[in-house]
Amino acid sequence: MALFTVERTTDLPPDEAWRRLTAWERHTATVPLTRIEVLTPPPSGAGTVFVARTGLGPLSFADPMRVEEWQPPGADGRGHCRLVKTGRVVLGWAELSVRPSPTSPGTHVRWREDLRVRGLPDPLFARPTTLTARPLFTRALTTLLTTPA
């Protein structure tokens, strides 16, 4: 299991940070060689299904995900989303959350992920997977929060 967390504070209000983070198609612009296809009609919510397809031609794989929990920011500015990876190659889950920043105006955003690749033994590959994935997800989160939609 490659468990990692990426956190950022943004000047955006919680509802805008949430919108940018959970507009699944926008993730296409943040991860190299990846495109996102949402398979369920809008709006997003519990039960939404989408697929991240990564790679080129025959050297690609699908990473299907389903939204298990969906709690957009309420009056307290807190929001939480849990995704479960349902594919044959990539396994695990992700939790995305927003809350008002305790130290400054704006929003604290957290992306926590358990990332596993089927067939790779966790004890041997957890550290290399984390070392590879964390910078990728840091870039993705930063891009999502700084690029207007």
Side-chain angles (χ1 to χ4, degrees), residues 24-82:
W24 311 121
E25 298 90 346
R26 295 187 75 232
H27 290 240
T28 295
T30 68
V31 182
L33 303 175
T34 298
R35 68 185 194 286
I36 306 292
E37 179 184 5
V38 179
L39 304 178
T40 49
S44 285
T48 295
V49 175
F50 58 96
V51 179
R53 296 185 200 288
T54 301
L56 292 171
L59 300 175
S60 64
F61 63 91
D63 179 9
M65 293 170 247
R66 181 181 64 251
V67 176
E68 289 269 310
E69 297 174 20
W70 181 264
Q71 299 166 347
D76 64 356
R78 294 178 176 270
H80 176 81
C81 176
R82 181 177 173 88

Side-chain angles (χ1 to χ4, degrees), residues 6 13 18-19 22 27 44-45 49 54 61-62 64 66 81-82 90-91 94 101 106 117 124 127 130:
V6 177
W18 175 265
R19 188 186 68 74
T22 61
H27 290 240
S44 285
V49 175
T54 301
F61 63 91
R66 181 181 64 251
C81 176
R82 181 177 173 88
V90 181
L91 305 169
S101 174
V117 179
L124 185 60
R127 183 160 169 74
T130 299

Side-chain angles (χ1 to χ4, degrees), residues 93-115:
W93 49 265
E95 293 179 336
L96 313 173
S97 63
V98 300
R99 64 180 169 85
S101 174
T103 59
S104 64
T107 303
H108 181 81
V109 180
R110 181 174 160 180
W111 184 323
R112 185 168 176 248
E113 183 138 354
D114 164 25
L115 183 61

